[in-house]
């Protein structure tokens, strides 16, 4: 295992994050604050409690997940797409490193960035609403797992994309709707029965539900099912990445 | 000398059927400078990319330092430094960070003193904290070389290192290459500039249409294939070549003012003395004579023409 290479890629990627620190951190904090003002304070004040929790607090886990998923995906996809775009990928391909090490470096960095943003949003939330975290360790575990799994997904998108449009396409057309429809801002029990069933096909539901359980001790779906769903998703992404490197798809002809 | 890079029956075809390399076999000796000459699209870059691991061979085998590039890729690639043809660099990074990144990828611990030495050799040291986007084209090319040298490779591939580079920088690079050779690094360079191969290579390989046409010691090659021409300018034009000179296979210029005689410098007899005597006997008055040696360029053009 070439750990030096993993660390080198990780540090290089993290430096990009810190170079654009204002953009990286200010924008999620600002947009989250706006969500709290609009949904938490303005609209939330007219909504009763959801599952025994004030609406402002109820949306915190969903908001964190929304940002973490989109940030992890876009960071990881950009991270590996950029070297392809500017041609520096030749260095990765000619270095004595395995695909596992490349993935660990890029996905590790993207997941770390997403984790930073998730924690910053959580801290911001404390300024707006009164929240308690029922299972802090489970909360961190869910957060970390989500960061990693969506960074893996982003990595796949970055390898697949051969132009900037495609790079934006999946996050915009797939992830954002899935997250919004996955119960970020509502409990799926609030939906009509037919839609409740349909929603169960949305993998994001399980992630948000599990994450919300770690805050409030209550969830739309069982915690075991949530864990299984995130494990399945992570496993699927890993399998696809393994296949990509084994066949050299879109990177090594 | 033993081969540090050994390529055997290497074939590379792309989806769509294009065959970039057709059963290429090549041994590169430890410590030599090999220049690969070939026109655009000859397969030079494909050959280098396949040895370095950027493309996967369709069939055949490659060893570097005795390690198979497929099954023992870590050991094989650790020995190789690659300077690509295109200037591919992360624009927002500093020179120092970018070069250190390359070293790290090869698994070596950070060593700022060594990297600074490399930068000094390449006259890049005063730019080490500059962002790459602020550098000139020539400077960027030096950064690429610094990156390739960052992990102390034993084999260095330079893919057209001096394309689009001014004369001064080209000379600088030749010096760097000579210095590397002196320190025992094997160097393979592809080039369009034949004078470059003539100036610095120990051996010359010619590749065209995915096939290696020849690999030979540069001096031998030039001696073997090197023909000299003797151009004789005449005081008065001659309408025909006199019969008594028919055996010399002379070429008459269009205006009849000069005759050209080709001869082999390595031959037992060049035939110059008898020719000059016979010219006088035939009554032709000489005004001036000059000789010309065929360059590597002539040899190269001749070879490539034959195959196309």
């Amino acid at each position: 295992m070439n750990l030096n290479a993993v660390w080198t890629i990780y540090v290089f990627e993290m430096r990009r994050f810190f170079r654009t620190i204002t953009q990286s951190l200010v924008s999620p904090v600002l947009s989250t604050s706006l969500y709290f003002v609009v949904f938490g304070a303005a609209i939330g004040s007219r909504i009763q409690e959801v599952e025994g929790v004030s609406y402002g607090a109820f949306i915190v886990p969903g908001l964190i997940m929304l940002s973490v998923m989109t940030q992890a995906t876009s960071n990881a996809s950009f991270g590996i797409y950029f070297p392809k775009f500017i041609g520096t990928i030749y260095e990765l391909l000619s270095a004595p490193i395995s695909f596992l090490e490349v993935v660990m470096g890029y996905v590790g960095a993207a997941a770390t960035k997403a984790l930073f943003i998730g924690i910053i949003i959580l801290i911001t939330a404390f300024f707006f609403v009164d929240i308690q975290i029922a299972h802090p360790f489970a909360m961190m575990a869910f957060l970390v797992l989500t960061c990693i799994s969506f960074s893996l997904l982003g990595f796949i998108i970055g390898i697949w994309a051969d132009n900037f449009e495609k790079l934006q396409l999946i996050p915009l057309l797939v992830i954002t709707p899935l997250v919004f429809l996955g119960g970020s801002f509502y409990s799926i029990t609030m939906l009509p029965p037919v839609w409740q069933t349909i929603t169960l096909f949305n993998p994001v539901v399980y992630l948000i539900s599990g994450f919300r359980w770690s805050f409030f001790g209550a969830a739309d779906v069982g915690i075991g099912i949530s864990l299984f769903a995130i494990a399945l998703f992570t496993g699927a992404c890993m399998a696809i990445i393994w296949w990509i490197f084994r066949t050299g798809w879109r990177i090594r002809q | 000398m033993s081969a540090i890079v050994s390529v055997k029956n290497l074939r590379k075809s792309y989806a769509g059927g294009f065959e970039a390399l057709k059963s290429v076999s090549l041994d590169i000796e430890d410590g030599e400078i090999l220049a690969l000459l070939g026109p655009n699209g000859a397969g030079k870059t494909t050959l280098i990319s396949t040895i370095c691991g950027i493309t996967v061979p369709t069939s055949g085998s490659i060893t570097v330092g005795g390690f198979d590039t497929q099954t023992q890729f870590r050991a094989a690639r650790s020995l190789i430094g690659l300077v690509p043809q295109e200037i591919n660099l992360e624009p927002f990074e500093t020179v120092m960070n970018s070069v250190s990144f390359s070293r790290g990828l090869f698994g070596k611990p950070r060593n700022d003193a060594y990297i600074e030495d490399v930068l000094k050799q390449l006259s890049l040291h005063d730019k080490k904290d500059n962002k790459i986007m602020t550098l000139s084209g020539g400077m960027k090319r030096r950064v690429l070389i610094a990156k390739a040298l960052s992990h102390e490779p034993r084999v260095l591939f330079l893919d057209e290192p001096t394309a689009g580079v001014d004369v001064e920088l080209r000379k600088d690079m030749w010096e760097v290459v000579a210095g590397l050779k002196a320190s025992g690094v094997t160097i393979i360079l592809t080039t369009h500039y034949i004078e470059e191969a003539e100036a610095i290579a120990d051996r010359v390989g010619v590749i065209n249409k995915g096939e290696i046409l020849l690999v030979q010691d540069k001096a031998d090659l030039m001696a073997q294939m090197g023909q000299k021409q003797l151009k004789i300018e005449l005081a008065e034009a001659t309408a025909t070549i006199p019969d008594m000179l028919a055996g010399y296979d002379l070429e008459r210029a269009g205006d009849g003012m000069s005759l050209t005689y080709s001869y082999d410098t390595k031959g037992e007899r060049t035939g110059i003395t008898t020719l000059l005597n016979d010219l006088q006997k035939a009554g032709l008055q000489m005004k001036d004579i000059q000789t010309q040696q065929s360059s590597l360029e002539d040899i190269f053009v001749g070879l490539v023409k034959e195959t196309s």
Side-chain angles (χ1 to χ4, degrees):
Chain A
M1 178 70 81
N2 186 346
L3 287 178
N4 260 323
V6 176
W7 179 244
T8 300
I9 295 172
Y10 182 83
V11 170
F12 197 79
E13 283 300 297
M14 289 310 287
R15 246 197 325 261
R16 192 205 309 285
F17 177 67
F18 288 114
R19 260 201 308 263
T20 54
I21 188 80
T22 325
Q23 184 201 329
S24 302
L25 290 182
V26 170
S27 76
V29 170
L30 182 72
S31 63
T32 310
S33 304
L34 290 174
Y35 275 117
F36 279 123
V37 171
V38 175
F39 290 103
I43 298 174
S45 62
R46 312 221 171 165
I47 298 177
Q48 320 162 311
E49 293 186 341
V50 179
E51 292 174 354
V53 183
S54 78
Y55 185 68
F58 179 83
I59 61 169
V60 170
L63 268 181
I64 294 173
M65 278 294 185
L66 174 67
S67 289
V68 162
M69 287 172 184
T70 46
Q71 288 289 329
T73 313
S74 64
N75 282 332
S77 60
F78 188 77
I80 190 67
Y81 177 74
F82 195 56
K84 283 202 321 173
F85 178 68
I86 61 173
T88 52
I89 188 101
Y90 84 88
E91 270 202 287
L92 293 174
L93 299 178
S94 60
I97 47 176
S98 70
F99 82 88
L100 186 65
E101 289 145 9
V102 174
V103 172
M104 280 166 73
Y106 279 99
V107 168
T112 309
K113 294 173 200 176
L115 187 63
F116 266 134
I117 289 162
I119 291 169
I120 296 265
I121 293 171
L122 182 60
I123 294 168
T124 313
F126 280 115
F127 289 101
F128 289 91
V129 285
D130 182 27
I131 36 170
Q132 261 105 44
I133 303 168
H135 309 282
F137 289 106
M139 189 275 292
M140 273 312 284
F142 261 108
L143 194 58
V144 170
L145 269 174
T146 307
C147 291
I148 293 173
S149 57
F150 276 77
S151 297
L152 288 168
L153 176 68
F155 190 89
I156 297 170
I157 295 168
I159 296 275
W160 165 75
D162 46 19
N163 57 45
F164 275 101
E165 197 193 357
K166 282 188 181 171
L167 202 62
Q168 305 291 344
L169 204 65
I170 300 279
L172 199 68
L173 292 186
V174 180
I175 295 174
T176 309
L178 284 184
V179 176
F180 268 89
L181 301 174
S184 315
F185 299 109
Y186 55 88
S187 163
I188 59 166
T189 54
M190 293 156 93
L191 296 170
V194 181
W195 283 101
Q196 281 191 34
T197 313
I198 292 172
T199 300
L200 291 177
F201 290 97
N202 177 356
V204 176
V205 165
Y206 301 94
L207 299 180
I208 293 180
S209 171
F211 194 51
R212 190 170 283 139
W213 168 85
S214 66
F215 277 81
F216 309 121
D220 291 341
V221 289
I223 181 70
I225 299 174
S226 287
L227 276 173
F228 177 73
I230 192 166
L232 194 71
F233 178 64
T234 311
C237 290
M238 283 177 165
I240 293 171
I241 290 176
W242 175 81
W243 174 83
I244 285 173
F245 278 92
R246 200 179 58 88
T247 58
W249 184 68
R250 299 240 166 161
I251 33 176
R252 189 180 263 136
Q253 286 184 303
Chain B
M1 277 206 282
S2 58
I4 188 153
V5 178
S6 182
V7 178
K8 284 200 176 66
N9 306 321
L10 180 67
R11 280 185 58 247
K12 174 68 194 176
S13 41
Y14 289 101
F18 175 67
E19 208 172 23
L21 296 173
K22 300 167 188 164
S23 197
V24 167
S25 293
L26 174 67
D27 276 345
I28 299 162
E29 309 293 338
D30 198 359
E32 75 169 336
I33 299 180
L34 174 74
L36 273 178
L37 292 173
N40 284 328
K44 303 186 294 284
T45 301
T46 305
L47 177 59
I48 288 185
S49 299
T50 315
I51 297 172
C52 294
I54 294 168
T55 49
V56 186
T58 306
S59 66
S61 70
I62 305 163
T63 60
V64 179
F67 301 107
D68 188 285
T69 56
Q70 295 283 295
T71 56
Q72 298 162 294
F73 74 92
R74 280 182 203 269
R77 288 185 205 162
S78 302
L79 302 174
I80 301 176
L82 167 65
V83 181
Q85 191 173 337
E86 308 279 336
I87 296 181
N88 299 322
L89 288 164
E90 161 97 41
F92 309 111
E93 262 307 342
T94 64
V95 171
M96 189 70 191
N97 281 339
S98 181
V99 177
S100 297
F101 173 75
S102 305
R103 184 178 171 86
L105 276 187
F106 279 75
K108 299 238 166 158
R110 203 176 161 107
N111 182 346
D112 287 357
Y114 174 77
I115 301 289
E116 292 199 20
D117 265 358
V118 170
L119 295 180
K120 276 178 197 155
Q121 272 178 48
L122 292 160
S123 317
L124 268 176
H125 193 256
D126 56 329
K127 307 267 190 224
K128 73 185 168 89
D129 297 318
N130 289 26
K131 281 189 179 176
I132 287 167
M133 59 194 284
T134 65
L135 302 182
S136 68
M139 283 291 166
K140 284 180 185 157
R141 211 165 265 283
R142 288 172 198 238
V143 176
L144 284 178
I145 298 179
K147 282 166 84 76
L149 295 177
S150 66
H151 63 277
E152 303 156 61
R154 278 186 61 201
V155 184
L156 182 67
F157 287 92
L158 295 155
D159 197 357
E160 310 234 356
T162 53
V165 157
D166 64 39
V167 181
E168 197 185 344
L169 181 54
R170 197 178 302 169
K171 292 266 159 65
D172 277 5
M173 283 196 188
W174 291 357
E175 260 172 46
V176 171
V177 167
L180 287 168
K181 181 187 155 70
S183 68
V185 178
T186 307
I187 294 149
I188 297 94
L189 67 103
T190 69
T191 181
H192 270 115
Y193 299 106
I194 288 154
E195 64 268 34
E196 189 156 85
E198 253 181 291
I200 60 176
D202 298 314
R203 285 200 305 161
V204 176
V206 178
I207 180 169
N208 192 29
K209 298 191 171 172
E211 285 175 292
I212 300 249
L213 303 180
L214 88 125
V215 181
Q216 223 162 9
D217 199 89
K218 180 187 67 186
D220 284 355
L221 176 68
M222 292 182 62
Q224 267 179 35
M225 301 189 70
Q227 288 225 315
K228 267 193 149 180
Q229 273 93 33
L230 177 71
K231 192 178 175 197
I232 303 141
E233 284 184 42
L234 303 170
E236 284 168 28
T238 173
T240 54
I241 296 170
D243 284 346
M244 65 176 299
L245 297 175
Y248 291 101
D249 204 14
L250 295 173
E251 250 178 82
R252 194 181 70 93
D255 57 4
M257 289 299 289
S258 69
L259 300 170
T260 306
Y261 170 61
S262 297
Y263 64 97
D264 192 346
T265 48
K266 294 281 162 182
E268 194 99 319
R269 297 168 64 90
T270 58
I272 295 173
T273 323
T274 49
L275 170 68
L276 295 181
N277 284 334
D278 288 350
L279 276 169
Q280 244 174 350
K281 283 183 199 156
L284 293 175
Q285 274 234 301
M286 287 177 275
K287 197 169 123 197
D288 197 5
I289 55 174
Q290 49 179 313
T291 62
Q292 258 184 329
Q293 180 143 33
S294 53
S295 65
L296 200 50
E297 177 149 9
D298 302 324
I299 297 169
F300 169 71
V301 170
L303 268 171
V304 170
K305 248 187 205 161
E306 268 174 44
T307 54
S308 44

